């Protein structure tokens, strides 16, 4: 029943915290570390709103037993904007494209988009759709979310050219 | 309530924990969901993350996939890439493993359907001798699946189709996986597995019997699909009724092979 000390690289900085046996990464982020961007939705891996990047790849943080990822690198939405608060390309595209309605899915959608665009700077619409296929938007704002991710890809490419 | 999560660094150590009654966990996509909803009937979880069971080896057209290999990695096997893309979403495929998929109840567990069609060998370790089993054989307490192996099907002999309510990330209404060999257009052998239509992946042996010796055309496949209704135990769920699954099975069996 003893808790375990878990060390992670969290948004580029070391983090250390206690976890009771069987605690999910999501619960540790929200309840121990105070990072509230990843949302607690279905707790079954079915909604995607808890998506974070684990060693660079999107995962449902509710399905990751945090004790099993000791030493891993985790990135959440809190680690996306620049230190001075400037939004990155994906965040800006979501904001400018009205790609958020209630906002509950937004953190997961943005993290999936961050991973997609890191590996594929010029995705097709179908590739965007597949990337977000694990993320549910119950406002059904998919069209604007997909448009925002494609827009973010354009913005990132333009920055890279300059 | 979970009172310990073991992360054994070796297979032998994992088997000892498993013999003591803990639940084996690989990617966590099934077990952690059960932890979260309080339905895990064990106090210990045994993570295989550090047990050294990950990776794909291909030698002389034999493919060996370690139990904790994720579906993201399996998608690198070209002939299986289309099948893998029908399994859950990319975020789940970054965690979910081949070994875990063998234990997922239908209408999930599409990869187990593929492995049944491929006549895969399931490699099992435990407190006693290591053993090889067929897909679907039960495990004793303390036994752990270490990997699966199968012969890579010859070009043009592998077929897969999954009917879903959405194009991506949905459970099987009907999944069809098949290895069909023809000589001069006539079927010389057929091994067909079905998902979504029984509590576990099933062989469509009646369909296989119909096909062997026939021209591989729509008429033969329709007849085989109708015959396959004898091999299923369909169920109702939120995705489809048993009636609907039975009704559309022949259509998807035909489309799987004729594309």
């Amino acid at each position: 029943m003893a808790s375990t000390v878990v060390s992670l690289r969290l948004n580029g900085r070391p983090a250390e915290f206690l976890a009771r046996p069987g605690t999910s990464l999501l619960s540790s982020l929200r309840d121990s570390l105070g990072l509230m961007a990843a949302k607690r939705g279905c707790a079954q891996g079915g909604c995607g709103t808890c998506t974070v990047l684990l060693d660079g790849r999107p995962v449902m943080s509710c399905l990751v037993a945090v004790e099993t990822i000791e030493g891993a690198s985790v990135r959440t939405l809190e680690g996306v904007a620049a230190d001075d608060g400037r939004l990155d390309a994906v965040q800006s595209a979501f904001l400018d494209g009205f790609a958020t309605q209630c906002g509950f899915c937004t953190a997961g959608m943005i993290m999936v988009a961050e991973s997609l665009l890191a590996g594929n700077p010029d995705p097709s619409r179908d590739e965007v759709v597949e990337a977000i296929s694990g993320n549910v938007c119950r406002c059904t704002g998919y069209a604007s979310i997909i448009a925002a991710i494609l827009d973010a890809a354009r913005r990132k490419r333009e920055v890279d050219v300059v | 309530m979970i009172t310990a999560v073991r992360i054994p660094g070796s297979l032998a150590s994992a088997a000892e924990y498993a013999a003591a009654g803990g639940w084996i966990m690989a990617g966590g996509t099934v077990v952690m969901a059960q932890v979260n909803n309080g339905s895990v009937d064990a106090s210990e979880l045994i993570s295989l993350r550090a047990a050294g069971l990950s990776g794909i080896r291909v030698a002389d057209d034999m493919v060996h996939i370690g139990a904790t290999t994720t579906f993201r990695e399996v998608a690198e096997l070209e002939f299986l890439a289309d099948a893998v893309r029908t399994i859950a979403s990319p975020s789940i495929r970054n965690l979910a493993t081949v070994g875990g998929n063998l234990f997922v109840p239908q209408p999930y567990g599409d990869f187990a359907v593929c492995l049944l069609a491929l006549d895969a060998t399931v490699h099992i370790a435990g407190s006693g001798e290591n053993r090889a089993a067929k897909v679907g054989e039960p495990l004793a307490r303390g036994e752990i699946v270490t990997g699966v192996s199968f012969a890579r099907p010859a070009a043009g002999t592998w077929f897969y189709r999954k009917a879903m309510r959405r194009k991506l990330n949905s459970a099987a209404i009907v999944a069809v996986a098949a290895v069909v060999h023809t000589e001069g257009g006539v079927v010389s052998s057929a091994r067909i597995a079905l998902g979504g239509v029984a509590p576990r992946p099933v062989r469509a042996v009646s369909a296989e019997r119909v096909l062997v010796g026939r021209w591989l055309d729509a008429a033969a496949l329709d007849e085989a699909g109708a015959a396959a209704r004898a091999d299923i135990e369909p169920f109702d769920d939120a995705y489809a009724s048993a009636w609907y699954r039975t009704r559309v099975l022949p259509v998807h069996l035909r489309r799987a092979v004729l594309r």
Side-chain angles (χ1 to χ4, degrees):
Chain A
M1 198 53 228
S3 292
T4 306
V5 179
V6 179
S7 312
L8 300 175
R9 187 114 193 122
L10 182 59
N11 293 327
R13 296 186 182 84
E16 200 170 77
F17 53 92
L18 280 175
R20 285 195 302 275
T23 302
S24 69
L25 172 58
L26 174 66
S27 291
S28 290
L29 290 172
R30 293 182 61 87
D31 305 339
S32 300
L33 297 161
L35 297 180
M36 298 297 194
K39 299 292 182 284
R40 189 173 275 129
C42 68
Q44 298 292 298
C47 76
T49 192
C50 68
T51 304
V52 303
L53 304 189
L54 175 60
D55 292 328
R57 297 199 176 90
V59 299
M60 314 284 185
S61 63
C62 73
L63 299 179
V64 176
V66 75
E67 295 149 283
T68 68
I69 59 163
E70 167 69 29
S73 164
V74 171
R75 192 166 176 224
T76 71
L77 181 61
E78 286 93 343
V80 167
D83 283 344
D84 63 5
R86 225 168 358 101
L87 302 183
D88 88 335
V90 178
Q91 293 172 307
S92 304
F94 267 67
L95 187 62
D96 297 344
F98 301 98
T100 287
Q101 290 182 49
C102 83
F104 199 76
C105 74
T106 306
M109 292 285 185
I110 289 178
M111 295 319 291
V112 165
E114 295 290 345
S115 166
L116 173 71
L117 299 185
N120 181 357
D122 191 11
S124 66
R125 189 178 188 284
D126 282 352
E127 286 170 331
V128 172
V129 168
E130 181 170 2
I132 65 166
S133 63
N135 296 67
V136 173
C137 166
R138 238 16 348 168
C139 308
T140 70
Y142 295 105
S144 53
I145 290 167
I146 294 163
I149 295 172
L150 290 167
D151 180 35
R154 274 188 297 273
R155 294 177 188 218
K156 280 171 74 95
R157 289 198 305 274
E158 281 162 18
V159 170
D160 289 346
V161 169
V162 176
Chain B
M1 178 186 274
I2 304 300
T3 57
V5 176
R6 309 293 183 185
I7 312 169
S10 74
L11 187 57
S13 167
E16 277 175 35
Y17 284 126
W23 269 29
I24 298 283
M25 174 169 76
T29 57
V30 173
V31 172
M32 280 302 287
Q34 291 174 311
V35 170
N36 292 342
N37 70 17
S39 66
V40 167
D41 187 22
S43 57
E44 277 194 22
L45 300 180
I46 307 156
S47 167
L48 296 183
R49 193 172 281 263
L53 299 177
S54 175
I56 299 174
R57 289 196 313 272
V58 182
D60 299 334
D61 276 336
M62 281 300 293
V63 180
H64 182 278
I65 308 177
T68 62
T69 307
T70 64
F71 284 109
R72 180 186 61 79
E73 298 165 284
V74 176
E76 290 162 17
L77 289 168
E78 205 179 336
F79 86 96
L80 287 171
D82 285 347
V84 168
R85 285 186 66 235
T86 72
I87 300 172
S89 61
S91 313
I92 295 289
R93 297 199 293 270
N94 284 334
L95 295 171
T97 67
V98 167
N101 198 268
L102 290 168
F103 300 92
V104 176
Q106 290 288 316
Y108 308 101
D110 305 311
F111 200 71
V113 178
C114 294
L115 291 173
L116 183 60
L118 290 163
D119 199 13
T121 300
V122 179
H123 301 278
I124 296 169
S127 49
E129 293 279 294
N130 292 354
R131 65 186 181 97
K134 295 291 182 189
V135 175
E137 274 183 43
L139 268 65
R141 176 187 270 210
E143 288 191 321
I144 296 170
V145 171
T146 60
V148 298
S149 60
F150 51 84
R152 181 163 47 192
T157 65
W158 169 250
F159 303 94
Y160 178 83
R161 179 181 176 83
K162 177 179 168 186
M164 299 185 264
R165 293 185 70 113
R166 297 181 299 197
K167 288 180 181 168
L168 296 165
N169 191 20
S170 190
I173 294 172
V174 175
V176 181
V179 179
V180 180
H181 288 93
T182 56
E183 283 169 25
V186 174
V187 176
S188 54
S189 73
R191 192 179 163 93
I192 303 171
L194 303 175
V197 290
R200 66 201 73 79
V202 289
R203 281 273 297 283
V205 286
S206 308
E208 295 169 2
R209 254 184 250 121
V210 168
L211 283 182
V212 173
R214 296 280 297 273
W215 287 99
L216 193 55
D217 58 15
L221 285 161
D222 282 340
E223 204 181 305
R229 287 178 173 147
D231 303 321
I232 64 175
E233 303 165 51
F235 48 84
D236 293 335
D237 63 12
Y239 300 101
S241 64
W243 179 89
Y244 182 77
R245 289 179 153 109
T246 307
R247 179 74 183 77
V248 301
L249 166 61
V251 175
H252 294 296
L253 195 146
R254 166 163 48 80
R255 289 181 185 167
V257 177
L258 290 185
R259 286 191 258 256

